[in-house]
Every structure is written in structure tokens, then in C-alpha cells.
Amino acid sequence: MEKLKCTSCNGDLELDEKGKFATCKFCGTKYKLDGDKIIVVNIGDVSNNLSKLSPKIMTPFIVIFSSISVFVVSIILLISSNIYNDVDKYNLEFKYGEGTQNGVFVQETLNKVTSKNKTNDHKITVKYNEEESLDEDTIINIKHSLKSLADYEVKYEYDSKGYISKIIIEDIK
Ligand SMILES: [Zn+2]
């Protein structure tokens, strides 16, 4: 019978009593034998190969998965930042600040409201004391009734998407 050699280290293999299994006495690699000479499974090599192969197999998946994740996250961030920016930019045009505002700023806000209401999808209602309207002339009248040197209490209401839908102006008592 031919001497069996370890495929890992080329050391001599020791057969077990039944001649079905062999172990390399140098490196410990285990073999299963089929017939006299044929080594069908190098158990050590198989496990070694698997552990060597798995990073190679996994790397493309990890790279692809990471790329997809980064892409998806970027898209989500892009969309959410655009939505945020749209609402934010829109609101900032009409918003000098919640709370007490000088009449000059309130009048300036109402100027923007009347011009924006002509073109914008998001209409802004103006409420001043008991008067509440989307109508351009009424808003202009409200603007003229405000005193530029006086202070007013200004509050905002928002639609479901976060856009300003109503500006409430109140005299400060
Ligand atoms: Zn060996």
C-alpha cells in the first residue's frame, strides 16, 4: 500500500485501525479514506478552505449590501432634507419670529402673503382681531390698519405638511 501523504504539510498519514480515517501526525489534519489510497475528504483542508473562502465569498455581498445601504440612506436623507428645506424656506419667508412683532414687520409679512397667495399652492389665511380672510383686498386692508410703530402679537398655524396656513395677528392689550 502506497504511503499516504498529508496534502497540507506533506507529512506521513497514520491510518486508524479500520483504515477509514487518517490523521496527519505533524499538523493534525484529518482525512477520510475511500478504498485503499484515495483521499476523499481532507477534513482539515475543507474546514480551512471554508474559513479561507468565506471572506472571499462574503466580501462582495458585504460590499454590495453596504453600497445599497449607503445609497438608500443617502436617498432618504436627500428626500427628507428637501422636504424639510422646502417647508423651512417657505415658512421663513413669512416668519420674523413668533410672538411680539413690530407693526412694520407684520406689514412686510402681509405683503409677502398677498403676493404668495396669488401663485402658491399653500394659501395663507390672515386673521386680525375678528377679521379672517384669504382675500387679497382684505389682507391689504388689515395691513393698512396696522400701526407701524406699534407692537402686535403674532401666532402661526400650520397645515398637515407643516406649511404656515394661518397668521394670527392680535393687538397687544
Ligand atoms: Zn500534515
Side-chain angles (χ1 to χ4, degrees), residues 57-70:
I57 294 168
M58 290 309 291
T59 301
F61 286 106
I62 291 166
V63 168
I64 289 166
F65 183 75
S66 308
S67 306
I68 290 171
S69 304
V70 167

Side-chain angles (χ1 to χ4, degrees), residues 19-20 32-41:
K20 289 279 181 189
K32 187 180 178 223
L33 307 182
D34 187 16
D36 282 346
K37 301 163 190 175
I38 308 159
I39 298 164
V40 287
V41 180

Side-chain angles (χ1 to χ4, degrees), residues 5-13 23-31 42:
K5 296 283 188 182
C6 173
T7 57
S8 292
C9 72
N10 209 34
D12 290 340
L13 294 181
T23 305
C24 172
K25 49 190 168 183
F26 300 98
C27 72
T29 303
K30 291 186 168 64
Y31 296 85
N42 175 333

Side-chain angles (χ1 to χ4, degrees), residues 9-149:
C9 72
N10 209 34
D12 290 340
L13 294 181
E14 255 181 12
L15 282 172
D16 71 352
E17 288 154 357
K18 290 178 183 173
K20 289 279 181 189
F21 293 92
T23 305
C24 172
K25 49 190 168 183
F26 300 98
C27 72
T29 303
K30 291 186 168 64
Y31 296 85
K32 187 180 178 223
L33 307 182
D34 187 16
D36 282 346
K37 301 163 190 175
I38 308 159
I39 298 164
V40 287
V41 180
N42 175 333
I43 298 165
D45 275 0
V46 165
S47 58
N48 280 345
N49 284 346
L50 274 179
S51 62
K52 278 173 200 159
L53 269 177
S54 55
K56 286 179 194 165
I57 294 168
M58 290 309 291
T59 301
F61 286 106
I62 291 166
V63 168
I64 289 166
F65 183 75
S66 308
S67 306
I68 290 171
S69 304
V70 167
F71 180 73
V72 167
V73 166
S74 306
I75 291 294
I76 290 170
L77 283 176
L78 192 70
I79 290 169
S80 59
S81 69
N82 275 348
I83 289 169
Y84 175 76
N85 284 340
D86 275 357
V87 176
D88 202 43
K89 278 181 201 160
Y90 179 86
N91 287 348
L92 274 174
E93 287 197 69
F94 309 101
K95 207 171 179 180
Y96 289 100
E98 201 125 6
T100 307
Q101 278 184 32
N102 185 270
V104 173
F105 295 114
V106 182
Q107 286 172 329
E108 184 55 34
T109 299
L110 296 186
N111 276 340
K112 284 178 181 169
V113 170
T114 51
S115 66
K116 281 280 180 177
N117 271 357
K118 290 173 191 166
T119 54
N120 257 7
D121 291 337
H122 315 279
K123 304 285 182 226
I124 297 179
T125 304
V126 174
K127 185 174 190 289
Y128 176 55
N129 295 334
E130 298 311 308
E131 204 151 22
E132 179 172 338
S133 184
L134 265 170
D135 174 63
E136 185 185 354
D137 289 338
T138 311
I139 295 174
I140 290 171
N141 283 339
I142 291 173
K143 190 193 98 179
H144 289 312
S145 68
L146 299 176
K147 298 180 188 78
S148 45
L149 293 177

